[in-house]
Amino acid sequence: MNDLPEEGGGALLLLGGSMYHPGGLESFCQRAAAALNTNGGRWHADWYATDNAYLSLVRLPRAILRLAQSVKMARRYDVVWLQWSTLLDLLYLPLLRARGVPVIVTPHLGANARLQRIAILRETARWLLASADCLALLFAGQKEEIALPRSVPCTTIQSFLPAAALTDGGIGEREGPLRLIHVGRFSEAKGSFRAIALCAALQERGVACRATMIGRADRVTMASLQDAVDRAGLRQSIRFLDWLNEPGLIEAYEKADVLAHLSLSDSYPLAVLEAMARGVVPVVGPMLGAQSMVDRYGGYVAEGSMVEAAADWLTRRSIENLRGLGATISTAVRADFAWDACAERISAVADSIRRPRTHERCARGSGTA
């Protein structure tokens, strides 16, 4: 019996993310489900977290329980869209395929991830990925950045930004000295210490600036960051804020001129796109995902001695030039990442792999978990 409607569409289960440690991946999942559910009802999406991030023996039982529950509920859906950031995420694939459910996989990691640096983990991941129906990539260059099976079709879907970041209003004139912003889970790999060093380098070059650091870290890392600020004599120039809700973060972007994201770990950092959508010029590390954003819209990729290179680039530009560039970037990003366009891309992928089935369709409106 073939129950595919002529217009396509159906019920999609979005799997991924960890509710106890929210960040970019969890924001992606939340927005993707919301975008699909407001896209004319063609595909209905439910998000179910896998809780696999930063796995430990204490959290392992919950992760295994989530896996069992996910696989059991998957048969009520037409397609599963799996978000891959850990090896345990990929263990869902053979179990889901055994249930006869088509699976889309989107990678959320880059070349510097442990799963790519260690050969046995890299090849294990590639072997497991071979059972996916399609790989939905965040940017075209992702297939060169990480090891993917050649036998599985790839397509590019981009990402999902906050709805508030895509509105026309709120992008007004900036005033005062150069304002930097750094957003994320604070760490050495994500460039948090380099953001502080960039402020110090600008100060040495006679460029007045203020910086806001938004995010969280463990006590040791936070103490080290505060110590770096004190040693650079920047106590009056840098302030730390805890993680903000979406409206608060959007407001913070709208007050900034430059995003300092000198990371060596983020494959496709949502914070960069969010900031760009609100008129902030990105200064990023040499990661392919972030570089693809800068190449397309504008900004600067700092290579080599990243802090010195970024400081030199910013020093050569007037604040008026940077603010004008930010406005141009904002217009282009908001057009390309409109929710309806992004939802249509993943809907087309789901349409292409959906197979006939006879079991009961998932009841719509079951929400997220």
Side-chain angles (χ1 to χ4, degrees):
M1 176 181 177
N2 189 333
D3 65 348
L4 279 102
E6 292 183 2
E7 71 277 9
L12 180 145
L13 177 61
L14 195 161
L15 291 176
S18 300
M19 301 307 293
Y20 60 82
H21 208 305
L25 174 55
E26 291 71 29
S27 296
F28 175 94
C29 294
Q30 183 180 42
R31 296 166 193 162
L36 284 165
N37 291 337
T38 57
N39 191 35
R42 180 174 159 204
W43 276 91
H44 173 80
D46 291 326
W47 171 32
Y48 192 74
T50 53
D51 283 346
N52 292 334
Y54 302 98
L55 201 59
S56 64
L57 288 176
V58 173
R59 295 194 175 107
L60 183 59
R62 175 172 174 81
I64 294 174
L65 176 63
R66 301 292 279 188
L67 185 147
Q69 291 172 333
S70 301
V71 172
K72 181 179 180 180
M73 73 169 64
R75 292 195 65 181
R76 306 201 309 268
Y77 290 81
D78 298 288
V79 169
V80 168
W81 183 14
L82 179 67
Q83 313 305 311
W84 168 38
S85 64
T86 74
L87 188 61
L88 185 56
D89 293 329
L90 295 185
L91 296 183
Y92 282 65
L93 266 171
L95 298 175
L96 291 168
R97 293 306 302 272
R99 293 264 179 171
V101 183
V103 182
I104 305 165
V105 178
T106 292
H108 292 266
L109 70 165
N112 288 337
R114 187 167 174 264
L115 284 178
Q116 296 298 297
R117 289 185 287 104
I118 300 175
I120 190 170
L121 296 178
R122 182 174 64 248
E123 294 309 312
T124 299
R126 178 154 44 189
W127 177 73
L128 289 167
L129 281 167
S131 62
D133 289 273
C134 184
L135 300 173
L137 307 182
L138 297 175
F139 63 102
Q142 202 169 22
K143 58 180 176 288
E144 279 80 45
E145 185 182 25
I146 57 178
L148 301 173
R150 295 182 179 179
S151 58
V152 180
C154 291
T155 189
T156 303
I157 60 166
Q158 296 189 161
S159 192
F160 293 84
L161 303 185
L166 301 172
T167 60
D168 292 334
I171 307 178
E173 293 292 329
R174 269 74 166 177
E175 297 179 350
L178 183 69
R179 296 184 182 276
L180 274 66
I181 190 169
H182 173 77
V183 177
R185 295 169 182 160
F186 298 149
S187 71
E188 178 67 42
K190 287 183 176 290
S192 304
F193 290 90
R194 283 184 284 275
I196 294 171
L198 176 58
C199 293
L202 288 171
Q203 181 174 262
E204 291 173 0
R205 288 162 171 76
V207 178
C209 71
R210 297 287 184 270
T212 301
M213 310 271 292
I214 301 174
R216 294 174 180 170
D218 58 67
R219 291 182 180 179
V220 173
T221 301
M222 286 301 304
S224 297
L225 288 167
Q226 295 283 2
D227 183 59
V229 170
D230 289 338
R231 284 187 283 107
L234 296 173
R235 177 62 60 186
Q236 302 303 315
S237 301
I238 298 178
R239 64 170 180 161
F240 289 86
L241 296 179
D242 198 356
W243 191 255
L244 299 175
N245 59 20
E246 191 172 284
L249 189 56
I250 296 299
E251 183 179 357
Y253 285 138
E254 291 172 353
K255 295 177 180 177
D257 300 304
V258 173
L259 174 75
H261 195 86
L262 301 174
S263 172
L264 290 175
S265 65
D266 290 327
S267 172
Y268 194 73
L270 280 176
V272 175
L273 284 171
E274 293 168 2
M276 293 169 86
R278 304 320 291 167
V280 185
V281 176
V283 173
V284 303
M287 296 294 291
L288 283 182
Q291 182 173 333
S292 72
M293 299 171 191
V294 170
D295 289 346
R296 184 165 183 173
Y297 301 109
Y300 181 68
V301 179
E303 301 187 66
S305 179
M306 287 190 285
V307 170
E308 295 301 311
D312 288 342
W313 187 82
L314 289 170
T315 302
R316 291 194 299 267
R317 280 150 183 82
S318 69
I319 193 167
E320 292 78 13
N321 175 273
L322 288 169
R323 288 169 177 167
L325 176 58
T328 300
I329 289 172
S330 173
T331 300
V333 170
R334 286 184 284 116
D336 285 352
F337 286 85
W339 271 17
D340 56 351
C342 294
E344 177 54 34
R345 282 189 282 270
I346 191 63
S347 295
V349 178
D351 286 340
S352 71
I353 68 170
R354 184 184 179 214
R355 294 192 286 269
R357 64 184 176 86
T358 57
H359 54 272
E360 182 181 358
R361 186 183 301 276
C362 172
R364 298 194 173 202
S366 57
T368 61

